[in-house]
Amino acid sequence: MEDNARVAAVLDEVADLLELKDDTFFQVRAYRRASKEISALTEDVRDLYLRGHLSTVPGIGKAIHDKVVEFLRTGELQYLSDLRNEFPAGLLQVMQVPDVGPKTAGRLYKELRITNLQDLRLAAERHQIRALKGFGDRTEENILKGIKYLESRQGRMLLGRAYPRGKALETHMVEHGFDLVSLGGSLRRMKETIGDIDILVGSADAERAMDAFVSYPQVTEVLLRGPTKTSIRLSDGVQVDMRVVAPQSFGAALQYFTGSKEHNVALRSLANSMGFKVNEYGVYREEDGARLAGETEEGVYEILQMQWMPPEMREDRGEIALARQGKVPRLLTLSDICGDLHVHTEASDGVDSIEVMAQGAVERGYEYLAITDHSVSLTVGNGLSVERLLENMDRVRQVGERYPQLHLLIGAEVEIDGEGGLDYPKEVLQDLDVVIAAVHSRFKMSPEEMTQRLLNAISNEDVDILAHPTGRIIGEREGYQFDMDKVMQAAKDSDVALEVNSFPERLDLNDVHCAMARERGVMLCINTDAHNVRQLDQMLYGVATAKRGWVSPENVLNALPWDALRKRLDA
Ligand code: DGT
Ligand code: CA
Ligand code: CA
């Protein structure tokens, strides 16, 4: 489905540039809609095209159809190149600044001749932007913050983008006959963003491993090829480093190249104090150079008198002391997850039917699934009026009867208004099995107001889960500001679970917040927020984020078996 994301991105960029150009509203909207439809497809757009069904996709008129075909055939779109050439390249970056977007970028270009990020920063610092009609000092501050944010994210990709690529490469190496193969680096630690992908192979024949690696079909460039390390670039720009070591060093190399760097530094200093030397080839005794470990990762930790620990923990946040004391907790794993409590269907802004989502849950071995479409005031999400919600409840019950092995729950993702009130009346909320409260509006309140808003929502006795609590979108916007400590305390007191939203762009709560929740005994709930059935598979990213916060199954609402969950929801 990689093509879907690429085609959608191309159409979106066309829409941005048309908007920058001040083109007609209808044109812009047509490209945006087409982009949305294609990214929501459950089939591969290239397959659709090859089977002659591309024009059946809603929102794809003749003009856009031909452009998609051109892009699929040639990998390029002339129309987009022409549009790009109408503007200075730096302006495209200005558009990426959170809160700026194409419209504002267009005005800044026309009125202040701003053509790149440096110009934008200068103009904001010199207070030239607040002089424009409709802009204030708040806008200037936000722009400066936005530039900083953009810069801090530059060159890193989302876990959800890196992971499938890393796994595919791992499989490629296994198919070429290598059996000691593993991801390494930040990807093995499942960090929310990844600088580059690292892969490790244990083999006596490094040459053959390098040959297999560079033969991967998506390689466009070999950046470096040496006897132990080769770096490549994939067609979508992602960089991958592969290292090859002798099989007897595979464990030591895996430990070393998994990192993090900080974890390794701490480990090495511990080893030194014990009279050992650790490197990527093994653990050696200082006095006579004897090699004591290196074949397995467990062996490396064992010789240092430590438990092995999951890679997600290796950030030098106290895990080394814990492992020395034999106190590494039993962390949550994907197989502990008994169900998903936050998914959308075609009733609101999802793509698939209740039936398809239920089938997907059964296929993933879940005991339960909650259908939680948007509530009425989220008009951009096609939120359900009370009347439509009631109809949908009936539908969910009917589908539920056809799936006796699954507890199909009816819920809603309910908007929290500016004061912390909920979008449906109490009688309706009481009838729902699961109530998720969520903020999707008015992000820019003062921290005091936002905290109060969230506390009000949490204190509503019908609320079970607070969705994506900070509202951040990685690379696009920071979360809204509020007092996390107070919100966690309130969630604990009111038995409200805080969500770890598994969407790669969200991962909200993040790993550090997960650790805070664990320390405070606040329940978490790992949800996918799936808008189509394939997105149910994103659960692993949320689970990994919780693991990075050292979360155990007993801290997680949807790791409870059905009977225990039902009791909690009824309470
Ligand atoms: P990234 O790629 O920026 O998301 O982060 P990592 O952690 O994947 O870092 P990367 O790709 O530069 O290096 C992969 C691993 O190699 C890293 O996690 C630990 C190890 N490593 C790299 N540089 C050093 C170093 O200077 N000292 C030690 N002890 N280990 C290092
Ligand atoms: Ca890396
Ligand atoms: Ca690397």
Side-chain angles (χ1 to χ4, degrees), residues 195-198 229 239-241 243:
D196 65 7
I197 297 176
D198 297 285
K229 175 176 168 180
Q239 192 188 317
V240 189
D241 291 346
R243 290 175 181 86

Side-chain angles (χ1 to χ4, degrees), residues 156 185-186 189 193-196 198 256-261 264-265 268:
R156 300 190 66 83
S186 52
R189 303 194 315 278
T193 64
I194 307 294
D196 65 7
D198 297 285
Y256 184 89
F257 291 115
T258 296
S260 64
K261 196 171 155 188
N264 286 355
V265 168
R268 215 169 326 155

Side-chain angles (χ1 to χ4, degrees), residues 546-558:
K547 266 177 127 166
R548 289 177 56 83
W550 306 5
V551 170
S552 296
E554 55 275 18
N555 300 121
V556 177
L557 189 65
N558 55 326

Side-chain angles (χ1 to χ4, degrees), residues 170-181 201-203 205 208-209 212:
E170 209 185 334
T171 306
H172 170 83
M173 294 307 291
V174 170
E175 283 169 359
H176 279 71
F178 297 91
D179 50 1
L180 289 178
V181 184
V201 172
S203 167
D205 193 349
R208 205 174 62 82

Side-chain angles (χ1 to χ4, degrees), residues 206-207 210 224-231:
E207 266 313 292
M210 300 303 183
L224 173 152
R225 179 164 173 164
T228 59
K229 175 176 168 180
T230 291
S231 297

Side-chain angles (χ1 to χ4, degrees), residues 461-481:
E461 58 183 21
D462 297 313
V463 171
D464 302 300
I465 300 169
L466 179 66
H468 39 71
T470 78
R472 66 117 170 226
I473 303 287
I474 300 176
E476 261 177 55
R477 66 168 194 246
E478 278 179 90
Y480 27 86
Q481 304 295 310

Side-chain angles (χ1 to χ4, degrees), residues 419-440:
E419 278 74 49
L422 294 195
D423 208 18
Y424 287 133
K426 180 150 188 69
E427 316 82 82
V428 174
L429 295 179
Q430 277 173 333
D431 275 352
L432 294 169
D433 299 319
V434 179
V435 174
I436 305 177
V439 167
H440 291 112

